[in-house]
Amino acid sequence: MPNGQRQHVIAGNWKMYKTIQETEAYVRELTPLVADSDVSVFLSVPFTAIRSASEAAKGSNIHIGAQNMNDASEGAFTGEIAGTMLVEAGANFVIIGHSERRHIFGESDAFINRKVKRALDDGLIPILCIGETLEQRDSGSTEAILKEQLSQSLADIQSDQMSKILIAYEPVWAIGTGKTATPDHAQEVHVFIRETIKELWGEDDADKTTIMYGGSVKPNNARHLMEQPDIDGLLVGGASLTVESFSHIVHYQNALTH
Ligand code: PGA
């Protein structure tokens, strides 16, 4: 778990896949395969599976989290979920501002900012997702968009809180499309993100922030991505759905092809 230093994290984001039974079987199978890994292993599972996943993962090095939460502590918000409920169910972290939340469900940076603050108050590690669309990339506005998302989604976040937040750069055009950013390109963008953190919070925070890459990460590209000096972790969607491919990504160092 985040300890105020940059760390290597491999996180699975299951999205709307897997029942409770499927989750238990997956975690049981994954546990021995990643027991010797020196990266932190995170699994972001559906709300209904958090409790059983965290019970199945007890005593292992797998951390269980959620994919979303509301910004309020409780209230008349039909269909929403509070951070305290996630913690009680066994979640350690929560993905906030995933592009599917931003684009399909219309979440704004201001809403995402309130969620990040609530997650921190509730004791959850937020993984804040940022990323440009293809259109924004083609029009040359990637950096402006990332800077806006960072400064607005993390508005009023203090330096001591930055050490508890993980950032995931997920170019929207690379999510679920099979088109990964090349490791060099991803590295360049990560450097820009780190520079922006430096500008907004200072050099110390910039050096310590874990910045993950996401978007069509597979067993055969994980190693090359992780070899980049500013890519500290990976957020994996489709390839986290089978134990086989996810465990290969966790053990990216052993990959022959890259
Ligand atoms: P993908 O998804 O690996 O299937 O591209 C990544 C994500 O959405 O977090």
Side-chain angles (χ1 to χ4, degrees), residues 11-15 95 98-100 129 168 170-179 213-218 234-241 249:
N13 171 17
W14 285 358
K15 310 193 180 187
I95 295 176
H98 188 278
S99 74
E100 285 148 17
C129 298
E170 296 206 303
V172 180
W173 47 268
I175 296 177
T177 58
K179 290 184 200 139
Y213 168 82
S216 296
V217 173
K218 307 285 176 219
L234 300 170
L235 183 52
V236 187
S240 71
L241 291 174
I249 294 173

Side-chain angles (χ1 to χ4, degrees), residues 23-160:
T23 300
E24 286 169 345
Y26 181 111
V27 174
R28 270 199 299 271
E29 198 185 330
L30 181 68
T31 299
L33 298 180
V34 299
D36 61 344
S37 115
D38 46 16
V39 301
S40 298
V41 180
F42 284 25
L43 277 182
S44 206
V45 307
F47 295 140
T48 46
I50 291 174
R51 186 165 197 112
S52 45
S54 64
E55 274 165 14
K58 228 174 236 153
S60 77
N61 57 343
I62 303 170
H63 304 285
I64 303 298
Q67 304 167 17
N68 183 29
M69 62 178 275
N70 192 261
D71 64 323
S73 59
E74 60 181 3
F77 302 111
T78 302
E80 290 294 288
I81 194 116
T84 49
M85 298 169 183
L86 300 177
V87 171
E88 189 188 29
N92 300 128
F93 72 95
V94 58
I95 295 176
I96 295 183
H98 188 278
S99 74
E100 285 148 17
R101 301 294 323 167
R102 290 176 185 266
H103 297 289
I104 304 173
F105 300 100
E107 292 191 3
S108 66
D109 280 317
F111 188 33
I112 290 165
N113 179 235
R114 294 196 300 274
K115 292 185 192 216
V116 169
K117 291 177 185 161
R118 179 67 65 188
L120 290 170
D121 284 351
D122 291 341
L124 287 161
I125 305 290
I127 299 184
L128 171 72
C129 298
I130 57 173
E132 81 286 3
T133 63
L134 185 58
E135 226 178 18
Q136 290 163 339
R137 181 192 185 209
D138 287 347
S139 67
S141 48
T142 297
E143 294 193 347
I145 291 295
L146 294 177
K147 190 165 186 178
E148 183 181 308
Q149 289 178 343
L150 268 177
S151 58
Q152 294 186 8
S153 300
L154 296 178
D156 307 319
I157 293 293
Q158 306 305 312
S159 189
D160 61 324

